[in-house]
Amino acid sequence: PLTLILTGIPGVAGGSPWAAVPLCCLYVLMLLGNGSLLWALRAEHALHIPMFQLLSMLALADLGLALCTLPTVLAVFCAPAAPLPFRACLAQMYFIHTFSAIESGVLVAMALDRFVAVCHPLRYGSVLSGSLVAGAGLLIVLRGSCLVLPVALLMARMPFCGARVLSHSFCLHQDMLRLACGDVRPSSWYGLGAVLLTKGLDSLAILLSYGLILRAILGTVPPGARAKAFGTCICHLCAVLLFYVPLISLSLIHRFGQHLSPLTPTLLADAYLLVPPVLNPLVYSWKTKQIRRRILLLLCRRG
């Protein structure tokens, strides 16, 4: 059966369990942070509003994105060579890109939530109802699942020959496409189109939302209250930067950075998949008093 070889960090020998210790710590922080965040959002009734319902979706997407890479990332550092069956690699690729598209869609919904909260605060409860948030969440999941599915189907029909060594400790579409033989243009062009229809349009929607928010704050909010109005958007802006900066950098390097050191795409891919799930709960817990109080209460009970 066709297998692909996963690789770890360049310069770090495979089968070195000590090298997996920092990654294990990051995964533990991710699980504890997002699990505590979801528990706090569920337990605190004051947080049952659209903004924090969308934050729950973001935490679930972060958990899915990190958990689908956990087995292979740890396997690479615990075995000299980590072969992965092609179908398992294909499934991992599908889930990574699906959860990534879902997280991008949730960030757009959160940007629209901030736009309504800042620009139309009196209509916030009537515009963003619970049924609207649930419908938006379902639409985001369906969009990500359906757009990524043809990528996996096209990749399943690709022949592979020659070297079968991937550049990362998990499977990404661009990395697998690099190893395929034959005509890869349909898969490559569709993958590019899927990225533009998800991350491309999503980033434009977020920029438009914040452009309108900035205009509303500078035009209608009194100077003394502008800092507070900007403060309501800080957490979401941090989440957007943590997600899009490594993603855009990794996409550009895969397409145009063949002359760079192999360490660069490896570190960017790890940052893209691990940094947002680890830092998002910390940012929101730090800025939201109710979440911070609930998490402290949980820690005191366990202590």
Side-chain angles (χ1 to χ4, degrees):
L2 175 62
T3 59
L4 302 177
I5 306 297
L6 302 171
T7 57
I9 299 175
V12 178
S16 303
W18 62 266
V21 172
L23 289 171
C24 286
C25 293
L26 285 177
Y27 276 110
V28 170
L29 283 175
M30 179 273 301
L31 290 171
L32 290 177
N34 286 283
S36 301
L37 180 61
L38 288 170
W39 177 85
L41 293 174
R42 183 177 181 274
E44 187 68 41
H45 293 287
L47 301 179
H48 293 178
I49 59 175
M51 173 185 175
F52 295 107
Q53 290 169 348
L54 293 171
L55 179 57
S56 298
M57 297 181 196
L58 183 67
L60 289 172
D62 279 337
L63 279 172
L65 192 60
L67 285 176
C68 64
T69 64
L70 174 61
T72 56
V73 169
L74 296 184
V76 165
F77 291 99
C78 295
L84 188 67
F86 175 72
R87 292 185 180 275
C89 190
L90 194 65
Q92 186 185 52
M93 180 206 74
Y94 172 77
F95 284 112
I96 287 175
H97 290 292
T98 297
F99 280 118
S100 177
I102 290 172
E103 181 160 353
S104 179
V106 173
L107 290 173
V108 173
M110 296 176 79
L112 296 177
D113 168 86
R114 292 298 83 206
F115 166 73
V116 176
V118 173
C119 300
H120 305 284
L122 299 179
R123 300 174 57 192
Y124 181 80
S126 59
V127 172
L128 294 176
S129 61
S131 58
L132 179 63
V133 173
L138 179 61
L139 185 62
I140 289 169
V141 172
L142 289 176
R143 183 195 70 157
S145 304
C146 295
L147 273 177
V148 178
L149 183 59
V151 174
L153 294 177
L154 287 170
M155 183 61 67
R157 302 178 60 184
M158 288 287 177
F160 287 80
C161 53
R164 297 174 183 176
V165 181
L166 296 171
S167 303
H168 306 292
S169 51
F170 38 80
C171 302
L172 296 176
H173 175 246
Q174 305 96 317
D175 201 17
M176 294 178 67
L177 201 63
R178 178 179 58 85
L179 304 180
C181 305
D183 188 6
V184 300
R185 287 176 297 177
S187 183
S188 178
W189 282 108
Y190 182 85
L192 179 61
V195 169
L196 293 177
L197 288 174
T198 52
K199 283 86 170 185
L201 292 180
D202 291 349
S203 58
L204 290 177
I206 292 172
L207 286 174
L208 176 61
S209 296
Y210 274 99
L212 295 174
I213 289 172
L214 185 62
R215 188 180 69 174
I217 290 175
L218 296 178
T220 61
V221 178
R226 287 175 183 173
K228 184 178 180 180
F230 278 120
T232 62
C233 303
I234 291 297
C235 292
H236 179 254
L237 279 173
C238 291
V240 169
L241 292 175
L242 288 172
F243 179 78
Y244 277 104
V245 171
L247 170 65
I248 294 173
S249 302
L250 182 63
S251 299
L252 291 176
I253 283 177
H254 268 298
R255 294 186 182 276
F256 307 110
Q258 289 81 4
H259 61 285
L260 297 175
S261 166
L263 184 61
T264 304
T266 300
L267 294 179
L268 276 175
D270 290 338
Y272 160 55
L273 292 175
L274 282 176
V275 171
V278 170
L279 293 186
N280 282 339
L282 298 178
V283 171
Y284 276 95
S285 300
W286 170 61
K287 288 292 292 182
T288 308
K289 181 175 64 176
Q290 296 96 324
I291 296 177
R292 188 167 63 248
R293 184 180 62 195
R294 277 288 176 178
I295 293 177
L296 289 175
L297 179 61
L298 175 63
L299 294 175
C300 291
R301 285 178 179 175
R302 293 190 174 182

